[in-house]
Amino acid sequence: MIFENYQRLRNSIPEYVDLVVAAKQRLVKEIEEVINAGAQIIGENYLQETQELYNALGKKAKALKWHMIGHLQRNKVKQAVEIFDMIQTVDSLRIAQEINKRCSEIKKLMPVLVEINSAREAQKTGLIPEEALDFIKEISTLPFLKIMGIMTMGPRFGNPEKARSYFIKTKRVFEELNSLSLPNVVPRILSMGMTNTFRVAIEEGSNMVRIGQAIFQAG
Ligand SMILES: *Cc1c(COP(=O)(O)O)cnc(C)c1O
């Protein structure tokens, strides 16, 4: 089922759109099935779960790309920068500086996305769109960060059309970022769209979707 779900999904979205498998709280054998179906990028919300999965997968883990898509705590950054190939959730100067510091220690250039709370949901993390460009200018001086674009969640449930205006707003920030040409900023990735919203997100310019339910759930 997971195998077919993944392949159906992969074939239904355009080739230029990267598909991140949102793996939180899934079993190792479920992840193995999705890897067998061709998955290449695993998105994780929790460091410890990532480490456990990484170890359980053995050799296969090294062939994958690992993206942090959950909120990152400062005291987890040291370990996070070792395992992740991209951190999609940078939303504060404190966390950006900590990533820079820990990456400088291991001489690793870390690709990151800046997270925007496009719907201004109070419980969610991320910067409001108006703050994003100044924030990116500020962190673009950190030499061990490579700022590759923007991530947003948008409303997760309900009518996906409700998410459209937030994706449009996020795309606008992405385009403004493109026009700035800042150091350490290579804005190529616009990460938006989940199970409920990925079609709308792609219509509005997303080139990376993060999907869990549509892959792992029956039906
Ligand atoms: C869980 C999660 C997703 C995937 O959501 P689904 O509704 O399961 O597709 C995407 N992005 C983030 C940040 C998540 O935590």
Side-chain angles (χ1 to χ4, degrees), residues 4-43:
E4 289 79 10
N5 285 350
Y6 180 87
Q7 295 209 326
R8 198 178 325 109
L9 184 64
R10 181 63 272 184
N11 291 332
S12 76
I13 60 177
E15 227 175 302
Y16 69 85
V17 177
D18 282 332
L19 174 50
V20 177
V21 176
K24 58 176 171 285
Q25 288 162 358
R26 302 296 172 184
L27 304 171
V28 175
K29 75 174 186 358
E30 294 179 293
I31 305 301
E32 283 176 329
E33 195 171 341
V34 82
I35 295 168
N36 290 339
Q40 292 171 339
I41 311 173
I42 305 295

Side-chain angles (χ1 to χ4, degrees), residues 28-29 31-32 35 42 49-66 83:
V28 175
K29 75 174 186 358
I31 305 301
E32 283 176 329
I35 295 168
I42 305 295
E49 195 179 286
T50 312
Q51 291 166 327
E52 286 166 9
L53 179 60
Y54 193 100
N55 293 334
L57 289 172
K59 270 208 314 271
K60 283 183 203 157
K62 290 203 174 60
L64 299 164
K65 294 288 181 201
W66 296 81
I83 201 164

Side-chain angles (χ1 to χ4, degrees), residues 99-196:
I99 293 168
N100 186 65
K101 177 181 162 201
R102 296 305 183 181
C103 283
S104 78
E105 291 168 0
I106 60 169
K107 301 281 176 282
K108 176 172 178 175
L109 182 63
M110 178 60 76
V112 303
L113 305 181
V114 168
E115 182 179 356
I116 292 187
N117 178 1
S118 53
R120 297 170 187 270
E121 289 153 294
Q123 77 283 15
K124 281 210 186 129
T125 51
L127 297 138
I128 60 167
E130 291 77 10
E131 297 170 335
L133 291 179
D134 282 341
F135 174 74
I136 293 170
K137 280 180 202 161
E138 200 168 3
I139 67 169
S140 70
T141 60
L142 300 171
F144 287 90
L145 264 57
K146 183 176 181 186
I147 302 156
M148 299 209 62
I150 287 173
M151 180 273 226
T152 198
M153 297 263 280
R156 183 148 178 212
F157 303 110
N159 183 347
E161 281 302 324
K162 287 224 173 85
R164 190 180 295 276
S165 65
Y166 303 113
F167 293 150
I168 291 172
K169 203 179 290 174
T170 305
K171 172 76 186 304
R172 214 168 284 149
V173 176
F174 182 67
E175 281 170 347
E176 285 171 41
L177 182 60
N178 262 291
S179 69
L180 288 181
S181 82
L182 294 165
N184 307 320
V185 181
V186 190
R188 299 228 177 90
I189 301 176
L190 184 53
S191 172
M192 51 187 200
M194 311 189 280
T195 292
N196 193 36

